[in-house]
Amino acid sequence: MHLGVWGLAPSGSPEGRARWRAPRRGARRIGAGVQGAEPPGGSPEGRAPWRCLRRTMKRGVFVTFSAAAKAELCRVPLERHCCQLAELYGILLCAPAFSNAEIRVATSHPGLARRAALLLEHAFHIAAEPGKIGSRFVLHITEPADLRRILNAFGYDFQPSVTYHLNRNLLENDCCPAAFLRGAFLMAGSVAGPEKKSHLELKISHAPLSREIMSLMLDSGIVPRCTERTAGSLIYIKETAGIENFLTLTGASRAAMDIMAAKVEKSLRNHVNRQVNCETANLLKTSAASQRQIAAIEAAIARGGIGIFPENLRETVDLRVAYPEASLAELAAMFSPPISKPGLDHRLKRILKIAEQEGGGS
């Protein structure tokens, strides 16, 4: 079975092939999505979900929002040398192996493997070709001369054990902290999609390093939290605004806009739901009160006739029975001249009291 754009269908069946090909006709690959095909109908309603689909499709397979955000980060232009060094520093410091024996970058995201190789080439003129082991792309450096150059550039001694700490001297320029955080997120981070509960996290293997990264985030205007796990520390952000700020800072502005748009849509939907629920509750309350009043009036009239009600209340009795679905405001406006809602409420209470005295109360 293959997952087509419109659902599941056997890949060999004509129906399955039609579903598979229709949305991709005339499309071209851009990044991790599909762009260029016209949504069905060409209407605004068709284009809105198509944009979301385009962001989460890759060769007919749905990818996570986190992978789409990382793909966007991998397309950030490599400009200043200091930022390239800072981003590579963030990747290597959070990589599975960073020592004088080996440097190993292992990831399931092909864009990150290519970007890490490109950064190594730009920063150190080291040609490293990512290999694939199972489902992961691996970048492996074992040449002692290359390892020594990288470690010395990042301020570490070429010793058997590396003390994991953040060298702030490499992040002195205003642009470098964002580049470092981009590299750290690409290597060790993930973010939940807009349809889920807000959550962004970075898994750091060494507790001292996690505290220094938290300090860097605080200096950049991001307020994270930290918790200790068996395999290391977890830096996370739960607030939607904080996640938007982090993604915007690191260069994933489209992912941040997706989260912002989802938050606005959710807020609007909740507001509409609350308003509908409130109006429904008011209608039910009005209907229940009206039925109770009419039942009491009809029972009293059946026992003693309309004469049991004073002359000044008979118009109220007639209008209440004639318009059972009208609210107090609507009923009060039908009088000539109109009366106030409190005045009408007082009259209805008198009518109910008279009906109960005559034995017609419920």
Side-chain angles (χ1 to χ4, degrees):
M1 302 283 285
H2 286 277
L3 179 62
V5 174
W6 305 119
L8 289 169
S11 59
S13 68
E15 182 185 2
R17 288 194 296 272
R19 289 181 176 178
W20 181 267
R21 294 172 181 168
R24 296 181 58 84
R25 222 172 257 143
R28 58 189 180 92
R29 287 278 322 284
I30 290 185
V34 178
Q35 185 175 357
E38 181 67 15
S43 62
E45 294 80 10
R47 288 193 293 271
W50 183 258
R51 283 195 295 267
C52 179
L53 183 67
R54 185 185 63 193
R55 294 292 304 281
T56 56
M57 290 292 296
K58 186 176 182 180
R59 293 182 179 177
V61 178
F62 282 97
V63 298
T64 64
F65 179 80
S66 184
K70 288 186 177 184
E72 183 180 357
L73 290 176
C74 287
R75 294 192 294 270
V76 174
L78 299 176
E79 296 176 348
R80 303 181 64 176
H81 177 75
C82 63
C83 292
Q84 296 178 26
L85 202 63
E87 183 176 341
L88 181 61
Y89 185 35
I91 292 173
L92 299 184
L93 205 55
C94 299
F98 181 64
S99 67
N100 72 330
E102 64 169 339
I103 290 177
R104 186 174 73 256
V105 176
T107 176
S108 59
H109 200 291
L112 171 55
R114 290 192 297 268
R115 189 173 180 86
L118 193 60
L119 287 168
L120 279 168
E121 184 178 353
H122 284 193
F124 297 103
H125 305 289
I126 296 175
E129 185 68 25
K132 192 169 184 182
I133 301 177
S135 62
R136 300 180 71 80
F137 297 87
V138 179
L139 203 64
H140 205 190
I141 301 173
T142 56
E143 183 64 36
D146 294 338
L147 293 171
R148 184 184 295 272
R149 272 199 300 149
I150 294 172
L151 289 172
N152 289 343
F154 290 141
Y156 298 94
D157 296 328
F158 193 69
Q159 300 295 332
S161 61
V162 173
T163 302
Y164 282 82
H165 67 87
L166 182 60
N167 185 0
R168 284 286 193 118
N169 293 329
L170 294 172
L171 311 176
E172 289 183 345
N173 296 332
D174 293 340
C175 55
C176 293
F180 174 86
L181 292 174
R182 178 167 59 249
F185 177 77
L186 282 170
M187 189 71 252
S190 63
V191 59
E195 74 283 357
K196 299 179 181 178
K197 194 172 182 180
S198 300
H199 184 82
L200 182 146
E201 67 179 31
L202 284 83
K203 295 178 181 177
I204 309 299
S205 302
H206 305 274
L209 178 60
S210 68
R211 289 192 290 269
E212 292 177 333
I213 292 177
M214 279 191 66
S215 175
L216 180 66
M217 294 173 72
L218 288 169
D219 292 344
S220 301
I222 311 295
V223 184
R225 301 177 188 177
C226 186
T227 184
E228 299 299 325
R229 297 287 174 86
T230 305
S233 301
L234 186 70
I235 301 173
Y236 64 94
I237 306 172
K238 288 289 188 182
E239 295 77 17
T240 305
I243 295 174
E244 293 169 5
N245 292 339
F246 182 90
L247 292 174
T248 302
L249 175 70
T250 54
S253 55
R254 293 182 66 181
M257 287 297 296
D258 285 348
I259 292 178
M260 191 181 304
K263 181 175 70 174
V264 171
E265 182 182 351
K266 183 179 179 181
S267 175
L268 180 61
R269 188 186 302 116
N270 290 340
H271 174 74
V272 171
N273 287 341
R274 284 193 299 269
Q275 191 171 11
V276 169
N277 291 340
C278 182
E279 291 177 357
T280 302
N282 288 338
L283 288 173
L284 292 175
K285 183 179 177 181
T286 299
S287 177
S290 174
Q291 291 175 7
R292 187 174 62 253
Q293 293 161 1
I294 292 172
I297 291 171
E298 290 177 345
I301 292 176
R303 294 175 63 89
I306 190 66
I308 64 171
F309 295 109
E311 188 69 31
N312 60 348
L313 293 180
R314 290 180 186 175
E315 184 181 7
T316 305
V317 170
D318 293 338
L319 287 174
R320 177 74 285 178
V321 173
Y323 301 98
E325 297 179 357
S327 63
L328 282 181
E330 294 169 342
L331 207 61
M334 296 177 186
F335 283 80
S336 182
I339 63 175
S340 64
K341 282 175 60 179
L344 176 59
D345 184 58
H346 177 69
R347 293 188 184 186
L348 290 172
K349 287 179 180 178
R350 287 179 59 194
I351 290 171
L352 285 177
K353 185 176 181 181
I354 293 171
E356 290 171 0
Q357 290 174 351
E358 292 293 329
S362 56

